[in-house]
């Protein structure tokens, strides 16, 4: 059943995506490739919506994907699958907090997990940049472990950059870091502005 598959896929994501919400992206990409539930472009749209809504991005993504695949029941089941491993681990840690805190094997384990989480998040970040700021498509990893990339159909090397998206990213970067009147504005302001610009670009054929 689709609901059992949803629960299982997001249970695995919640269990192994150590390092926060962004660390779920490689797992979500793998789910899309293995199940055909959504494309990588769909995943980027889900990421944009999840970043624009309150709550942890990993939970938001699970809810969004679950709803896309199975409606409201799918959203509930995928979200439960995502949080179940965390609840189990937290209950175990809470019961053995002192032992965990002083256990050198646990500390060494987390020492090894940090660079692994950094690598997962970095790989997801590179793929997002390629998907959003260029016209390079992620073709998945096939039978290997490294993703393959290609230009979108009909485009040459001169069209490699997505200039409107690159310009918008540059403007947002400047406004949030170096322009005094805007650098302290709430991030939701820039999210709304970016959404409006996206709509204008879409209907303007840019």
């Amino acid at each position: 059943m689709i609901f059992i598959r949803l629960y299982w896929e997001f249970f695995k994501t919640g269990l192994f995506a150590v390092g926060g919400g962004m660390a779920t992206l490689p797992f979500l990409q793998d789910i899309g490739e293995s199940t055909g539930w959504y494309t990588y472009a769909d995943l980027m749209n889900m990421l944009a919506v999840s970043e624009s809504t309150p709550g942890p991005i990993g939970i938001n993504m699970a809810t969004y994907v679950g709803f896309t695949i199975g409606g409201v029941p799918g959203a509930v089941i995928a979200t439960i699958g995502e949080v179940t491993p965390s609840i189990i681990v937290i209950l175990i840690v809470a019961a053995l907090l002192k032992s965990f805190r002083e256990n050198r094997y646990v500390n060494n384990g987390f020492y090894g997990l940090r660079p692994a989480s950094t690598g997962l998040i970095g790989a997801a970040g590179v793929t997002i940049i390629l998907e959003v700021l260029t016209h390079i498509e992620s073709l998945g990893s096939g039978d290997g472990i490294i993703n393959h990339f290609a230009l979108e159909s009909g485009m040459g090397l001169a069209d490699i950059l997505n200039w409107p998206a690159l310009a918008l990213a540059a403007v947002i970067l400047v406004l949030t870091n170096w322009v005094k009147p805007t650098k302290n504005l709430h991030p939701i302001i820039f999210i709304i502005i970016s959404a409006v610009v996206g709509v204008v670009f879409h209907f303007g054929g840019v």
Side-chain angles (χ1 to χ4, degrees), residues 58-144:
I59 305 299
N60 291 350
M61 290 290 283
T63 305
Y64 195 165
V65 173
F67 181 80
T68 302
I69 304 306
V72 174
V76 173
I77 290 170
T79 303
I80 293 174
E82 175 79 18
V83 303
T84 299
S86 300
I87 293 173
I88 294 172
V89 171
I90 288 171
L91 290 175
I92 295 173
V93 171
L96 305 170
L97 181 59
K98 187 174 181 181
S99 298
F100 267 79
R101 185 182 298 167
E102 298 174 355
N103 189 307
R104 66 188 181 93
Y105 296 107
V106 172
N107 289 333
N108 291 339
F110 279 113
Y111 181 79
L113 284 172
R114 284 196 292 267
S117 299
T118 302
L120 284 172
I121 295 170
V126 169
T127 309
I128 290 171
I129 290 172
L130 290 175
E131 180 75 25
V132 175
L133 299 183
T134 74
H135 293 292
I136 298 175
E137 293 179 310
S138 174
L139 303 180
S141 55
D143 296 327

